[in-house]
């Protein structure tokens, strides 16, 4: 695992589990509506900047550089809270998103991309199968 | 990139961008409250099963096997919708989560793990810095 030098609090860094590139996924969520806006990637330093600057900062895998969300577009993410998950390999960043989060211009990166899904009602299957129509 | 054989619709498979292990992150969100519950990993077949069985199914990286969420714990995830993101490398699975999503017993995997965060009010910094106190 590549861990780049960072000013991140060592107590937090010790809790992180990173992929081979030293990165972990960061889920950005609108703090009040609950919308899942996008998923980005962070390394230790991106997390440090996110925690200390008030602006969500990611590591761009395509450009191999830090990416302060909204720096060019103006579609900034103002950080409200950051939580680590139970095993330290994902962060949830609650933000106040200015404008669209997605570079395509939609509010979230998941808008308009629904996949065909079979939906089963929990109540239907909670009933044991062998009772339906059987003696 | 490892792409395991799968019954996933080829039209969907063509839109996916996977990591070197053939996996992509799946964010699970409670469909009505908006809570981000957890992040899991899927391959093509896990996504296929998630789309067609009504139950969220992940690829367990530690056990190297498919993992039908709640199969042993009873804390099932009933799928309500699945969306792909703009560049095809993340899915958002909206579910009805039975009980706690986290193996630690908390509702979400992010509960109780807040990191210390500096919060900047958007309004404060939207105001040009050089106007504050300057002529």
């Amino acid at each position: 695992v590549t861990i780049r030098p960072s000013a991140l609090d060592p107590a937090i860094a010790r809790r992180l589990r990173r992929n081979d590139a030293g990165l972990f996924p960061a889920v950005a969520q609108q703090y009040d509506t609950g919308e899942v806006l996008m998923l980005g990637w962070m390394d230790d330093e991106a997390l440090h900047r996110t925690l200390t600057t008030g602006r969500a900062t990611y590591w761009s895998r395509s450009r191999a550089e830090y990416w302060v969300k909204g720096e060019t577009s103006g579609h900034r993410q103002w950080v409200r809270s950051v939580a680590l998950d139970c095993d330290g390999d994902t962060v949830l960043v609650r933000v106040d998103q200015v404008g669209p989060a997605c570079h395509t211009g939609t509010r979230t990166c998941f808008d308009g991309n629904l996949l065909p899904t079979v939906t089963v009602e929990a109540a239907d299957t909670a009933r044991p199968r062998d009772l339906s129509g059987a003696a």
Side-chain angles (χ1 to χ4, degrees), chain A residues 1 5 16 24 26 31 34 38 41 43 48 50 54 71 85-86 102 106 115 118 123 125 132-133:
Chain A
V1 175
L16 291 176
F24 45 90
Y31 81 99
M38 53 173 276
W41 293 83
D43 64 0
H48 173 68
T50 297
E71 196 61 18
D85 78 344
C86 55
C102 190
T106 56
L115 300 177
V118 170
T125 52
S132 51

Side-chain angles (χ1 to χ4, degrees), chain A residues 33-112:
Chain A
T33 63
E35 294 162 288
V36 173
L37 299 166
M38 53 173 276
L39 182 140
W41 293 83
M42 292 186 180
D43 64 0
D44 288 36
E45 179 64 19
L47 177 57
H48 173 68
R49 296 183 189 185
T50 297
L51 294 174
T52 55
T53 66
R55 294 275 304 278
T57 303
Y58 302 94
W59 176 258
S60 168
R61 295 177 300 170
S62 55
R63 297 193 304 273
E65 62 181 21
Y66 293 104
W67 162 46
V68 183
K69 174 68 180 167
E71 196 61 18
T72 52
S73 67
H75 301 146
R76 299 180 173 82
Q77 292 181 339
W78 300 100
V79 176
R80 293 303 185 107
S81 69
V82 181
L84 196 58
D85 78 344
C86 55
D87 55 3
D89 65 5
T90 303
V91 295
L92 176 61
V93 185
R94 293 197 179 88
V95 301
D96 194 5
Q97 169 73 52
V98 178
C102 190
H103 73 285
T104 65
T106 56
R107 174 66 178 173
T108 89
C109 288
F110 302 95
D111 293 353

